[in-house]
Amino acid sequence: INLTVNGLAEKAGLKVGDQIISIDNIKANEGDNCEVVRLISELDGKSMQHNLIIKRGTETLSFQL
């Protein structure tokens, strides 16, 4: 929906419209934006790296947060 300016997701290279498939091998429920926001909020500001799999158009991409 949107990204926090200078937030963890934006800094990692995520873009508006990306569909989050999983975070640290925890599958996100398709269409449940509230769950995705909660998961990302819990990670934001933590020093550990997290693996994020997203779908952007027809591509599936991996990001480290």
Side-chain angles (χ1 to χ4, degrees):
I1 298 171
N2 62 35
L3 297 172
T4 302
V5 175
N6 293 320
L8 189 61
E10 182 185 63
K11 288 179 182 178
L14 272 72
K15 297 181 179 188
V16 172
D18 287 349
Q19 178 186 359
I20 296 174
I21 304 298
S22 67
I23 300 171
D24 291 339
N25 296 318
I26 300 170
K27 190 171 182 175
N29 291 329
E30 187 174 336
D32 188 350
N33 292 333
C34 292
E35 177 190 15
V36 171
V37 169
R38 181 187 58 77
L39 289 171
I40 293 290
S41 296
E42 289 177 8
L43 300 179
D44 204 11
K46 294 183 179 178
S47 60
M48 297 175 55
Q49 285 201 338
H50 303 278
N51 186 43
L52 185 69
I53 305 296
I54 66 114
K55 184 173 182 182
R56 180 179 293 159
T58 59
E59 294 181 280
T60 300
L61 306 169
S62 177
F63 290 88
Q64 292 292 314
L65 300 179

